[in-house]
Amino acid sequence: MLKSELLLFALNDMDDSDLESTRKRLGYKIGGAAGHLAKKRIITFALAAALILGLGTAAYALGWFGFSSRLAPAPAPSADLELSPEFGDPSDHHYLSYSGAMGSNTMKASLEWQDYYKAWWESEEAQNHTNQDDLAFIAAHPEWKSYYDIYSACTEDMMEKLFALSEQYGVRLHDSATTPENDAQFHQLAGIGPFILREEGEFEFQCYIVYEDGSFHGFGFLPFGEEGYPFTFVRSRKNVLDPTVQELYGSEQYEEWQYTTATGALVNIASWDWSHPENGKSLTWVFYENEDTMITVFGTTPLGQESCEAFADSFDFVEAGK
């Protein structure tokens, strides 16, 4: 299962110690040591790698769809997770849903699948599980190959649990995923036109996975001044179990407000100056919803509300939410 948006907060011009602290704070779990990403560099995420490393609402009706509607409590972090004191209470640990609000059946299914999945990987069975077991499993059940690829359900019990949750909560499962070969294929698969409102050549974006219903995840850079700031853009259809599990620490640190973008979309913005204002960067989230779709954009911006709103103005949420 995709554990988190890899390399999401690749904060340029940071010390490795700062990046590692931020990674721990946000709950990202990556295999190697922390490092830098070059400015305006796009990483090609192969579908296989992403899968190996790998979740109509009341909040929408009320017009408030920020952290209060997206977050569900997660277990306190293990004792070996060290968080810097400026990050606040480490018990402020949450799961963030991409495709269902707090209390929705989608969120419930996501949380139950997450608990089951984590428990399996901590079990003795998982410790003894090998790639050969995976190959044998798929050879015996070729009809399950797409679900295995997307959700990493690699045993009959896991697959049965996945199907049971889908039926119990009335939540659909993704059944196919594609890594677009180019921008034209991405827009065709997603069923949308250009949605980044910057001049051609002034931004970079690469979609690395598109599902059968047009949901997608992508990564890019936007310029603020002479620097390129990284962001991740996620479009999810509601009532679908997104295989991504986003963990987040420190939600109480964020300032939230609503904003109407230059193209007339009402969004919620959450921003945190992440305890190192001398670096001139904020962690910024933008949430948008319509009846069928939830959009989550998150990355880094220069400090200040004006920069956060300029970040939101960089996207045509109505087009992206089609």
Side-chain angles (χ1 to χ4, degrees):
M1 183 190 299
L2 190 63
K3 187 60 180 172
S4 65
E5 295 299 333
L6 297 179
L7 307 179
L8 165 62
F9 291 114
L11 305 178
N12 10 355
D13 300 328
M14 287 177 56
D15 292 335
D16 285 350
S17 58
D18 288 336
L19 179 56
E20 179 65 6
S21 294
T22 303
R23 180 189 69 76
K24 289 180 178 179
R25 180 59 172 145
L26 294 169
Y28 300 132
K29 298 183 174 73
I30 56 179
H36 297 289
L37 277 184
K39 295 176 188 176
K40 306 193 79 174
R41 174 187 174 199
I42 292 298
I43 302 299
T44 300
F45 291 89
L47 176 60
L51 296 172
I52 290 171
L53 289 169
L55 170 75
T57 68
Y60 171 69
L62 293 172
W64 182 256
F65 36 88
F67 279 160
S68 60
S69 72
R70 294 288 194 96
L71 297 181
S78 60
D80 60 355
L81 177 63
E82 298 180 3
L83 300 177
S84 299
E86 66 266 24
F87 289 143
D89 186 354
S91 65
D92 181 17
H93 179 206
H94 291 83
Y95 296 129
L96 185 143
S97 173
Y98 288 138
S99 53
M102 175 80 81
S104 68
N105 283 347
T106 309
M107 175 75 87
K108 293 174 183 176
S110 295
L111 296 178
E112 193 168 333
W113 174 246
Q114 166 71 354
D115 289 343
Y116 175 88
Y117 191 85
K118 291 179 72 172
W120 186 86
W121 276 105
E122 294 169 359
S123 70
E124 184 177 350
E125 180 182 3
Q127 302 308 310
N128 297 326
H129 196 81
T130 68
N131 288 338
Q132 293 301 316
D133 294 324
D134 281 9
L135 293 173
F137 172 69
I138 292 306
H141 302 284
E143 72 278 10
W144 290 346
K145 177 65 164 57
S146 61
Y147 300 111
Y148 162 83
D149 285 342
I150 294 170
Y151 295 98
S152 295
C154 53
T155 71
E156 288 196 31
D157 287 346
M158 294 179 76
M159 198 66 71
E160 289 173 359
K161 179 66 173 180
L162 188 63
F163 293 150
L165 289 173
S166 175
E167 182 175 355
Q168 176 184 352
Y169 291 106
V171 174
R172 290 197 303 106
L173 301 175
H174 287 304
D175 58 21
S176 69
T178 303
T179 299
E181 296 182 358
N182 50 51
D183 288 346
Q185 186 185 30
F186 159 60
H187 288 292
Q188 180 182 16
L189 291 170
I192 57 174
F195 62 91
I196 300 180
L197 303 175
R198 297 290 187 98
E199 294 294 327
E200 185 175 356
E202 290 189 355
F203 68 90
E204 295 189 47
F205 179 76
Q206 181 170 335
C207 176
Y208 58 89
I209 191 166
V210 183
Y211 296 104
E212 76 293 330
D213 61 0
S215 298
F216 65 84
H217 293 233
F219 179 86
F221 286 85
L222 285 174
F224 286 89
E226 296 182 356
E227 282 195 89
Y229 285 71
F231 70 93
T232 288
F233 195 104
V234 180
R235 179 179 83 166
S236 300
R237 299 303 188 193
K238 294 181 179 179
N239 203 42
V240 183
L241 185 64
D242 193 298
T244 303
V245 176
Q246 177 66 60
E247 297 185 45
L248 182 136
Y249 292 89
S251 61
E252 81 285 351
Q253 305 282 358
Y254 286 80
E255 177 186 1
E256 291 191 77
W257 68 97
Q258 289 193 326
Y259 174 68
T260 300
T261 68
T263 55
L266 178 65
V267 300
N268 276 51
I269 299 176
S271 182
W272 173 34
D273 291 347
W274 82 278
S275 80
H276 289 284
E278 66 273 14
N279 285 317
K281 295 180 175 70
S282 295
L283 303 180
T284 300
W285 299 71
V286 183
F287 303 102
Y288 171 82
E289 291 191 36
N290 58 34
E291 291 185 22
D292 303 314
T293 305
M294 300 176 81
I295 290 178
T296 309
V297 190
F298 45 117
T300 57
T301 66
L303 296 177
Q305 181 171 327
E306 183 177 346
S307 294
C308 296
E309 292 175 353
F311 179 59
D313 281 332
S314 298
F315 304 99
D316 186 339
F317 290 96
V318 176
E319 179 66 30
K322 285 183 176 178

